[in-house]
Amino acid sequence: MTITAVNLYQLNFNGVGKTEFRLYFGSPYSHETLRPVSDQQIKLILNSRLKKWQPNYSYSIGNIVEPTIANGCMYQVLDNDRTSSIEPEWSTVPNTQCSSGRVTFANLGEKFQPDDIKMSLTHDGLDKAAPGTALQLGEQLKGGKSIPVYFRINNPSSAARSDRSDPSVSLSLNATITETIAHTGTL
């Protein structure tokens, strides 16, 4: 029996400076093995989730977008309503507002990008890790134990940023498959 691992994990950061944390990756089931489908290694990949503004679109409070021509900032939706066909005049000044149709957008400051994040299999490795790059986890991972993955998120701006309502960076796997050994009796 096999299943494909495809879930995205959303990363968010609120504040200034940098923060570090650790997540554990793996399956609690010793009868499972994770393998890459076509690559040599299993990889954790940082992805931008920031969506472009859309005309005549119904937005929900808290959604975060960027202009159709990116200006380096992210904007949070303040209304549950629909935009018009005309894109707002986006200010690059944090905490300013603009609107399209009946939707108001607030400038949250510089947008988060995968390059704001480093990943490593050790805490000390964060100092040497290249920002925004995929982390190789090996040719296979056996279940029954988890491995720590260390993260360092950096806000290079002096202004506090927040994307908690609609995280703009996510973590995913390259194409992998979980192989399960069929057992009879108890495990």
Side-chain angles (χ1 to χ4, degrees):
M1 179 171 131
T2 61
I3 57 171
T4 303
V6 294
N7 293 337
L8 295 177
Y9 182 82
Q10 299 173 357
L11 300 173
N12 63 50
F13 181 64
N14 302 281
V16 296
K18 63 178 108 171
T19 189
E20 294 181 357
F21 60 93
R22 177 178 55 222
L23 294 176
Y24 288 90
F25 184 83
S27 169
Y29 306 110
S30 59
H31 59 279
E32 292 184 338
T33 301
L34 185 66
R35 298 184 195 283
V37 171
S38 59
D39 295 327
Q40 292 289 324
Q41 295 268 326
I42 299 165
K43 297 176 191 170
L44 288 178
I45 303 163
L46 295 163
N47 307 287
S48 177
R49 298 182 69 243
L50 204 54
K51 297 175 184 86
K52 299 283 187 186
W53 173 86
Q54 294 182 38
N56 303 309
Y57 187 80
S58 293
Y59 283 102
S60 298
I61 291 174
N63 290 154
I64 297 177
V65 299
E66 69 177 329
T68 56
I69 298 173
N71 65 5
C73 296
M74 56 186 183
Y75 301 83
Q76 187 170 44
V77 175
L78 302 179
D79 311 290
N80 287 322
D81 221 318
R82 190 173 192 83
T83 58
S84 71
S85 60
I86 300 168
E87 188 166 0
E89 290 187 31
W90 306 101
S91 169
T92 56
V93 177
N95 301 315
T96 57
Q97 295 182 1
C98 58
S99 62
S100 171
R102 296 178 11 184
V103 179
T104 303
F105 300 88
N107 183 327
L108 296 177
E110 291 180 47
K111 69 180 180 178
F112 288 111
Q113 301 190 50
D115 282 352
D116 293 334
I117 302 169
K118 290 182 174 187
M119 297 184 292
S120 177
L121 294 173
T122 65
H123 184 267
D124 292 341
L126 287 172
D127 292 331
K128 296 178 274 183
T133 59
L135 179 64
Q136 296 186 3
L137 301 176
E139 295 176 11
Q140 70 177 13
L141 293 174
K142 298 261 186 209
K145 63 178 181 173
S146 57
I147 59 170
V149 177
Y150 296 83
F151 292 83
R152 180 178 293 152
I153 300 179
N154 183 45
N155 177 1
S157 171
S158 60
R161 300 187 296 180
S162 174
D163 70 342
R164 183 164 283 158
S165 66
D166 190 12
S168 53
V169 176
S170 64
L171 182 64
S172 66
L173 285 173
N174 59 332
T176 58
I177 194 160
T178 302
E179 297 174 346
T180 304
I181 299 170
H183 289 277
T184 57
T186 57
L187 294 175

PDB file of all heavy atoms in Angstrom, residues 40-54:
ATOM      1  N   GLN A  40      16.938  12.017  -6.074  1.00  0.00           N
ATOM      2  CA  GLN A  40      17.860  11.198  -5.285  1.00  0.00           C
ATOM      3  C   GLN A  40      17.588  11.321  -3.790  1.00  0.00           C
ATOM      4  O   GLN A  40      17.833  10.398  -3.038  1.00  0.00           O
ATOM      5  CB  GLN A  40      19.304  11.633  -5.566  1.00  0.00           C
ATOM      6  CG  GLN A  40      19.774  11.330  -6.963  1.00  0.00           C
ATOM      7  CD  GLN A  40      19.984   9.843  -7.173  1.00  0.00           C
ATOM      8  OE1 GLN A  40      20.413   9.140  -6.270  1.00  0.00           O
ATOM      9  NE2 GLN A  40      19.654   9.358  -8.354  1.00  0.00           N
ATOM     10  N   GLN A  41      17.102  12.495  -3.364  1.00  0.00           N
ATOM     11  CA  GLN A  41      16.927  12.787  -1.946  1.00  0.00           C
ATOM     12  C   GLN A  41      15.492  13.247  -1.658  1.00  0.00           C
ATOM     13  O   GLN A  41      14.838  13.831  -2.514  1.00  0.00           O
ATOM     14  CB  GLN A  41      17.854  13.939  -1.528  1.00  0.00           C
ATOM     15  CG  GLN A  41      19.323  13.633  -1.617  1.00  0.00           C
ATOM     16  CD  GLN A  41      19.867  13.086  -0.314  1.00  0.00           C
ATOM     17  OE1 GLN A  41      19.426  13.461   0.761  1.00  0.00           O
ATOM     18  NE2 GLN A  41      20.832  12.198  -0.421  1.00  0.00           N
ATOM     19  N   ILE A  42      15.051  13.008  -0.436  1.00  0.00           N
ATOM     20  CA  ILE A  42      13.823  13.620   0.065  1.00  0.00           C
ATOM     21  C   ILE A  42      14.191  15.060   0.415  1.00  0.00           C
ATOM     22  O   ILE A  42      15.225  15.298   1.036  1.00  0.00           O
ATOM     23  CB  ILE A  42      13.311  12.881   1.320  1.00  0.00           C
ATOM     24  CG1 ILE A  42      12.994  11.429   0.981  1.00  0.00           C
ATOM     25  CG2 ILE A  42      12.095  13.597   1.908  1.00  0.00           C
ATOM     26  CD1 ILE A  42      12.824  10.549   2.198  1.00  0.00           C
ATOM     27  N   LYS A  43      13.378  16.016   0.006  1.00  0.00           N
ATOM     28  CA  LYS A  43      13.705  17.425   0.236  1.00  0.00           C
ATOM     29  C   LYS A  43      12.530  18.166   0.855  1.00  0.00           C
ATOM     30  O   LYS A  43      11.389  17.993   0.428  1.00  0.00           O
ATOM     31  CB  LYS A  43      14.047  18.117  -1.085  1.00  0.00           C
ATOM     32  CG  LYS A  43      15.262  17.579  -1.778  1.00  0.00           C
ATOM     33  CD  LYS A  43      15.459  18.271  -3.114  1.00  0.00           C
ATOM     34  CE  LYS A  43      16.511  17.569  -3.936  1.00  0.00           C
ATOM     35  NZ  LYS A  43      16.542  18.064  -5.297  1.00  0.00           N
ATOM     36  N   LEU A  44      12.839  19.013   1.840  1.00  0.00           N
ATOM     37  CA  LEU A  44      11.875  19.995   2.334  1.00  0.00           C
ATOM     38  C   LEU A  44      12.112  21.261   1.533  1.00  0.00           C
ATOM     39  O   LEU A  44      13.251  21.717   1.400  1.00  0.00           O
ATOM     40  CB  LEU A  44      12.093  20.273   3.824  1.00  0.00           C
ATOM     41  CG  LEU A  44      11.692  19.172   4.787  1.00  0.00           C
ATOM     42  CD1 LEU A  44      12.015  19.582   6.213  1.00  0.00           C
ATOM     43  CD2 LEU A  44      10.214  18.865   4.654  1.00  0.00           C
ATOM     44  N   ILE A  45      11.053  21.843   1.005  1.00  0.00           N
ATOM     45  CA  ILE A  45      11.150  22.970   0.086  1.00  0.00           C
ATOM     46  C   ILE A  45      10.331  24.143   0.619  1.00  0.00           C
ATOM     47  O   ILE A  45       9.181  23.966   1.028  1.00  0.00           O
ATOM     48  CB  ILE A  45      10.637  22.562  -1.313  1.00  0.00           C
ATOM     49  CG1 ILE A  45      11.423  21.350  -1.827  1.00  0.00           C
ATOM     50  CG2 ILE A  45      10.715  23.725  -2.290  1.00  0.00           C
ATOM     51  CD1 ILE A  45      10.757  20.629  -2.978  1.00  0.00           C
ATOM     52  N   LEU A  46      10.929  25.336   0.608  1.00  0.00           N
ATOM     53  CA  LEU A  46      10.227  26.563   0.990  1.00  0.00           C
ATOM     54  C   LEU A  46       9.540  27.138  -0.244  1.00  0.00           C
ATOM     55  O   LEU A  46      10.145  27.219  -1.316  1.00  0.00           O
ATOM     56  CB  LEU A  46      11.215  27.578   1.568  1.00  0.00           C
ATOM     57  CG  LEU A  46      11.869  27.140   2.871  1.00  0.00           C
ATOM     58  CD1 LEU A  46      13.105  27.972   3.157  1.00  0.00           C
ATOM     59  CD2 LEU A  46      10.870  27.242   4.007  1.00  0.00           C
ATOM     60  N   ASN A  47       8.278  27.516  -0.106  1.00  0.00           N
ATOM     61  CA  ASN A  47       7.486  28.026  -1.224  1.00  0.00           C
ATOM     62  C   ASN A  47       6.829  29.346  -0.859  1.00  0.00           C
ATOM     63  O   ASN A  47       6.357  29.504   0.263  1.00  0.00           O
ATOM     64  CB  ASN A  47       6.349  27.045  -1.566  1.00  0.00           C
ATOM     65  CG  ASN A  47       6.830  25.652  -1.792  1.00  0.00           C
ATOM     66  OD1 ASN A  47       7.435  25.377  -2.799  1.00  0.00           O
ATOM     67  ND2 ASN A  47       6.586  24.755  -0.842  1.00  0.00           N
ATOM     68  N   SER A  48       6.744  30.240  -1.824  1.00  0.00           N
ATOM     69  CA  SER A  48       5.969  31.462  -1.620  1.00  0.00           C
ATOM     70  C   SER A  48       4.500  31.136  -1.844  1.00  0.00           C
ATOM     71  O   SER A  48       4.144  30.479  -2.807  1.00  0.00           O
ATOM     72  CB  SER A  48       6.406  32.546  -2.600  1.00  0.00           C
ATOM     73  OG  SER A  48       5.596  33.687  -2.437  1.00  0.00           O
ATOM     74  N   ARG A  49       3.641  31.566  -0.938  1.00  0.00           N
ATOM     75  CA  ARG A  49       2.197  31.367  -1.058  1.00  0.00           C
ATOM     76  C   ARG A  49       1.474  32.675  -1.344  1.00  0.00           C
ATOM     77  O   ARG A  49       0.253  32.707  -1.444  1.00  0.00           O
ATOM     78  CB  ARG A  49       1.626  30.811   0.257  1.00  0.00           C
ATOM     79  CG  ARG A  49       2.145  29.494   0.664  1.00  0.00           C
ATOM     80  CD  ARG A  49       1.479  29.014   1.953  1.00  0.00           C
ATOM     81  NE  ARG A  49       0.090  28.690   1.710  1.00  0.00           N
ATOM     82  CZ  ARG A  49      -0.938  29.316   2.286  1.00  0.00           C
ATOM     83  NH1 ARG A  49      -0.747  30.272   3.140  1.00  0.00           N
ATOM     84  NH2 ARG A  49      -2.176  28.964   2.024  1.00  0.00           N
ATOM     85  N   LEU A  50       2.208  33.780  -1.430  1.00  0.00           N
ATOM     86  CA  LEU A  50       1.592  35.085  -1.586  1.00  0.00           C
ATOM     87  C   LEU A  50       0.870  35.157  -2.935  1.00  0.00           C
ATOM     88  O   LEU A  50       1.463  34.928  -3.983  1.00  0.00           O
ATOM     89  CB  LEU A  50       2.667  36.172  -1.493  1.00  0.00           C
ATOM     90  CG  LEU A  50       2.202  37.547  -1.080  1.00  0.00           C
ATOM     91  CD1 LEU A  50       1.430  37.516   0.223  1.00  0.00           C
ATOM     92  CD2 LEU A  50       3.386  38.473  -0.944  1.00  0.00           C
ATOM     93  N   LYS A  51      -0.400  35.485  -2.875  1.00  0.00           N
ATOM     94  CA  LYS A  51      -1.215  35.541  -4.091  1.00  0.00           C
ATOM     95  C   LYS A  51      -1.248  36.963  -4.641  1.00  0.00           C
ATOM     96  O   LYS A  51      -1.213  37.930  -3.899  1.00  0.00           O
ATOM     97  CB  LYS A  51      -2.629  35.061  -3.771  1.00  0.00           C
ATOM     98  CG  LYS A  51      -2.657  33.614  -3.332  1.00  0.00           C
ATOM     99  CD  LYS A  51      -4.053  33.220  -2.905  1.00  0.00           C
ATOM    100  CE  LYS A  51      -4.087  31.813  -2.378  1.00  0.00           C
ATOM    101  NZ  LYS A  51      -3.763  31.729  -0.972  1.00  0.00           N
ATOM    102  N   LYS A  52      -1.348  37.067  -5.952  1.00  0.00           N
ATOM    103  CA  LYS A  52      -1.473  38.356  -6.623  1.00  0.00           C
ATOM    104  C   LYS A  52      -2.908  38.866  -6.466  1.00  0.00           C
ATOM    105  O   LYS A  52      -3.871  38.090  -6.433  1.00  0.00           O
ATOM    106  CB  LYS A  52      -1.156  38.229  -8.122  1.00  0.00           C
ATOM    107  CG  LYS A  52       0.248  37.752  -8.431  1.00  0.00           C
ATOM    108  CD  LYS A  52       1.233  38.844  -8.249  1.00  0.00           C
ATOM    109  CE  LYS A  52       2.620  38.407  -8.714  1.00  0.00           C
ATOM    110  NZ  LYS A  52       3.638  39.378  -8.446  1.00  0.00           N
ATOM    111  N   TRP A  53      -3.060  40.214  -6.401  1.00  0.00           N
ATOM    112  CA  TRP A  53      -4.375  40.838  -6.372  1.00  0.00           C
ATOM    113  C   TRP A  53      -5.144  40.415  -7.616  1.00  0.00           C
ATOM    114  O   TRP A  53      -4.562  40.249  -8.696  1.00  0.00           O
ATOM    115  CB  TRP A  53      -4.208  42.360  -6.357  1.00  0.00           C
ATOM    116  CG  TRP A  53      -5.519  43.079  -6.489  1.00  0.00           C
ATOM    117  CD1 TRP A  53      -6.364  43.405  -5.490  1.00  0.00           C
ATOM    118  CD2 TRP A  53      -6.121  43.544  -7.697  1.00  0.00           C
ATOM    119  NE1 TRP A  53      -7.463  44.047  -5.993  1.00  0.00           N
ATOM    120  CE2 TRP A  53      -7.339  44.145  -7.353  1.00  0.00           C
ATOM    121  CE3 TRP A  53      -5.768  43.497  -9.035  1.00  0.00           C
ATOM    122  CZ2 TRP A  53      -8.199  44.698  -8.298  1.00  0.00           C
ATOM    123  CZ3 TRP A  53      -6.615  44.046  -9.978  1.00  0.00           C
ATOM    124  CH2 TRP A  53      -7.817  44.642  -9.595  1.00  0.00           C
ATOM    125  N   GLN A  54      -6.469  40.240  -7.469  1.00  0.00           N
ATOM    126  CA  GLN A  54      -7.314  39.847  -8.602  1.00  0.00           C
ATOM    127  C   GLN A  54      -8.482  40.810  -8.762  1.00  0.00           C
ATOM    128  O   GLN A  54      -9.097  41.206  -7.771  1.00  0.00           O
ATOM    129  CB  GLN A  54      -7.853  38.439  -8.397  1.00  0.00           C
ATOM    130  CG  GLN A  54      -6.782  37.375  -8.411  1.00  0.00           C
ATOM    131  CD  GLN A  54      -7.397  36.003  -8.248  1.00  0.00           C
ATOM    132  OE1 GLN A  54      -8.466  35.712  -8.776  1.00  0.00           O
ATOM    133  NE2 GLN A  54      -6.718  35.146  -7.506  1.00  0.00           N
TER     134      GLN A  54
END
